[in-house]
């Protein structure tokens, strides 16, 4: 735990996937202009289950951001409770976003926050108005992605809510 606080980055164990070529092919098809082909690819990726996440994360490393909407909305939430919670951060109701933020924070305490999920969180934070949601997400980011947490904190300095600005200042004072 002390190491995590000092470095701000935990690492997941490397996982090799025999499914990687198949996963990459389905991910490429997911971006097809043909809606039936894209839908089939999404269904197939979901059917492969959570074991495809390491291959998916490696595929995402070299891709431009943001990730394809079909991947974010139709595949990731079905493969991982973390991604399902991140997706719920976009809910219209504040109470639902607060529940999602708590879920994200709890899940990140138990597992390394994958970079694609961290980037999705940062994007959500740029439009988040609720200080409770914002603070939960900043704390989750800080565990594994100190530089992204600093980036979000810099944005938070201009937030309309005083609690967000204060939390941002505190984080930046600890990690200049």
């Amino acid at each position: 735990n002390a190491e995590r606080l000092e470095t701000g980055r935990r690492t997941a164990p490397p996982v090799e996937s025999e499914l990687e070529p198949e996963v990459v092919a389905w991910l490429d098809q997911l971006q097809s202009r043909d809606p039936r082909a894209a839908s089939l690819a999404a269904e197939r990726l979901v059917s492969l289950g959570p074991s495809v996440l390491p291959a998916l994360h490696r595929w995402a490393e070299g891709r431009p951001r943001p990730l394809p909407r079909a991947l974010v909305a139709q595949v990731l939430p079905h493969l991982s409770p973390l991604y399902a919670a991140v997706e719920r951060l976009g809910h219209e109701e504040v109470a639902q976003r607060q529940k999602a933020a708590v879920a994200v924070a709890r899940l990140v305490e138990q597992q390394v926050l994958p970079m694609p999920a961290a980037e999705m969180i940062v994007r959500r934070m740029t439009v988040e108005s609720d200080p409770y949601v914002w603070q939960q997400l900043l704390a989750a980011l800080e565990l594994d992605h100190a530089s992204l947490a600093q980036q979000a904190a810099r944005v938070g300095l201009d937030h309309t809510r005083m609690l967000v600005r204060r939390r941002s200042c505190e984080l930046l004072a600890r990690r200049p």
Side-chain angles (χ1 to χ4, degrees):
N1 200 14
E3 176 189 329
R4 181 166 84 187
L5 292 175
E6 288 176 22
T7 64
R9 181 135 180 100
R10 298 175 290 176
T11 56
V15 178
E16 292 303 318
S17 173
E18 307 86 44
L19 293 173
E20 191 149 354
E22 181 182 359
V23 169
V24 169
W26 288 117
L27 286 165
D28 289 340
Q29 186 172 330
L30 184 66
Q31 299 175 82
S32 170
R33 293 181 191 258
D34 177 2
R36 282 180 281 176
S39 178
L40 175 65
E43 289 174 17
R44 182 61 182 143
L45 286 165
V46 169
S47 74
L48 291 171
S51 64
V52 304
L53 284 170
L56 192 148
H57 291 150
R58 283 190 292 276
W59 176 85
E61 285 175 10
R63 310 301 289 190
R65 301 295 195 266
L67 292 174
R69 182 72 190 137
L71 177 62
V72 171
Q74 298 171 18
V75 177
L76 291 174
H78 298 286
L79 296 178
S80 160
L82 175 63
Y83 283 107
V86 170
E87 181 67 13
R88 290 192 312 271
L89 291 170
H91 199 280
E92 199 172 289
E93 295 179 26
V94 172
Q96 294 301 316
R97 294 195 315 270
Q98 289 175 344
K99 287 179 186 176
V102 168
V104 167
R106 286 186 180 148
L107 289 164
V108 169
E109 288 175 357
Q110 301 165 14
Q111 68 186 62
V112 174
L113 180 62
M115 183 57 84
E119 291 170 342
M120 292 163 62
I121 288 170
V122 170
R123 278 192 298 284
R124 294 279 187 199
M125 290 175 75
T126 62
V127 296
E128 181 55 56
S129 60
D130 184 71
Y132 181 77
V133 171
W134 211 93
Q135 291 178 65
Q136 290 290 315
L137 297 178
L138 187 62
L141 277 175
E142 193 174 11
L143 289 174
D144 298 315
H145 300 283
S147 63
L148 285 178
Q150 289 171 324
Q151 175 185 337
R154 285 187 202 96
V155 171
L157 293 174
D158 293 328
H159 201 277
T160 58
R161 298 294 190 96
M162 186 269 307
L163 288 174
V164 172
R165 293 191 307 269
R166 182 173 68 195
R167 178 71 172 102
S168 295
C169 287
E170 290 169 355
L171 184 139
L172 292 171
R174 283 194 313 276
R175 297 178 185 267

